[in-house]
Amino acid sequence: QVSVLYFARSAELAGLRCESLRVPRQLTALQLWEEIVRVHPRLADIRDQVVFAVRQEYVLLEDQLLVLQPGDEIAIIPPVSGG
Amino acid sequence: MDESEDVPKDFIKLKSERLSVDEVSELVVSPCCGAVSLFIGTTRNNFEGKNVIHLEYEAYTSMAESEIQKICRDIRQKWPSVRHIAVHHRLGVVPVTEASIIIAVSSPHRAESLEAVTYCINTLKASVPIWKKEFYEDEYSWKENKECFWANSEK
């Protein structure tokens, strides 16, 4: 069970800002994205423009293997526009 | 002179209230420093011919603070003489001409603080999880900083 946080455009497409998701303990970033899109198909629109933050470190949507703990925080990060 | 009170500090704050230049510059003033350099980012009233009514900012607050802390650490590595660093970013609605960000850096001589401020805003725009929604008269748009490496420049 991990916490998934949605921000900016991804929150608008998913229709929520935060939820718990049950995912395998080990999976690639790409597989994690597929799990999330399964729940929120509209997110597929922004697939090329987002990265993840896993435990507050940026992770690209590629083959990197993630080892997740219960309660870990995952965030969908659209292109930033601070400052 | 008692140096223990003047340990280099980072002052990072994300808040929804109006930002204060006086408050931020006073945070970094130090007896050993001859220079305080400032950057203020304000809301512009136009984008590509459209009238901007206001901006709205949101943040992944805990990660934004830790990413800004990393920037402060980098600044101290690159410019070891930098004393204090303050970064205040406003969240929520920011009307036109009001400040959305204020960065202040102090150093004994001016070159380091001027360079550090530039580095700070440029790096923040590339890597800190804060997002800006620009409101025009009849629509809005989520902005994307060109510094952000996962933004598509051509759509």
Side-chain angles (χ1 to χ4, degrees):
Chain A
Q1 285 274 51
V2 295
S3 285
V4 183
L5 305 178
Y6 300 90
F7 291 98
R9 184 113 177 80
S10 70
E12 287 179 349
L13 290 172
L16 78 177
R17 296 201 154 266
C18 175
E19 64 184 345
S20 270
L21 228 51
R22 171 153 259 120
V23 294
R25 209 167 251 270
Q26 287 194 33
L27 73 177
T28 67
L30 217 48
Q31 285 167 338
L32 178 59
W33 176 256
E34 300 303 323
E35 297 277 340
I36 291 170
V37 170
R38 200 165 298 144
V39 185
H40 302 287
R42 292 175 71 204
L43 285 176
D45 285 355
I46 55 171
R47 189 234 173 283
D48 291 335
Q49 292 144 55
V50 298
V51 297
F52 281 129
V54 178
R55 296 183 294 267
Q56 304 197 359
E57 296 288 338
Y58 290 120
V59 175
L60 297 179
L61 264 56
E62 288 171 354
D63 295 324
Q64 178 179 338
L65 190 67
L66 305 172
V67 180
L68 300 175
Q69 311 286 349
D72 270 351
E73 206 166 80
I74 315 272
I76 314 293
I77 310 276
V80 297
S81 40
Chain B
M1 192 186 308
D2 183 5
E3 290 274 321
S4 66
E5 309 256 316
D6 200 32
V7 176
K9 293 191 208 75
D10 303 330
F11 301 94
I12 300 167
K13 199 184 250 188
L14 270 45
K15 62 192 232 185
S16 50
E17 298 79 36
R18 210 162 168 176
L19 302 183
S20 160
V21 174
D22 280 347
E23 182 191 331
V24 179
S25 49
E26 265 159 49
L27 288 171
V28 305
V29 160
S30 159
C32 70
C33 290
V36 172
S37 298
L38 274 193
F39 172 79
I40 306 166
T42 57
T43 298
R44 203 154 31 111
N45 69 0
N46 72 86
F47 178 73
E48 288 180 355
K50 291 183 277 213
N51 273 348
V52 175
I53 311 297
H54 69 253
L55 301 185
E56 244 174 68
Y57 283 92
E58 70 177 65
Y60 182 4
T61 318
S62 50
M63 187 175 176
E65 284 169 2
S66 71
E67 287 295 307
I68 298 173
Q69 252 159 25
K70 288 180 191 170
I71 296 175
C72 291
R73 219 177 45 213
D74 288 348
I75 287 173
R76 292 177 186 294
Q77 263 192 325
K78 291 175 188 300
W79 297 279
S81 67
V82 158
R83 199 74 189 184
H84 303 306
I85 305 169
V87 179
H88 280 204
H89 201 303
R90 195 161 168 194
L91 299 179
V93 175
V94 184
V96 166
T97 77
E98 290 191 25
S100 33
I101 185 170
I102 303 177
I103 298 171
V105 178
S106 56
S107 59
H109 305 285
R110 68 186 180 281
E112 290 80 7
S113 66
L114 284 167
E115 287 169 28
V117 166
T118 302
Y119 175 85
C120 189
I121 182 65
N122 289 345
T123 311
L124 186 143
K125 279 184 170 288
S127 69
V128 172
I130 296 177
W131 297 270
K132 162 165 74 189
K133 203 166 163 181
E134 211 161 61
F135 283 81
Y136 315 111
E137 275 151 25
D138 48 10
E139 46 172 347
Y140 67 78
S141 153
W142 285 105
K143 306 303 297 180
E144 300 179 0
N145 288 344
K146 60 186 192 315
E147 296 86 348
C148 173
F149 75 83
W150 62 94
N152 278 349
S153 34
E154 335 118 36
K155 303 246 163 88

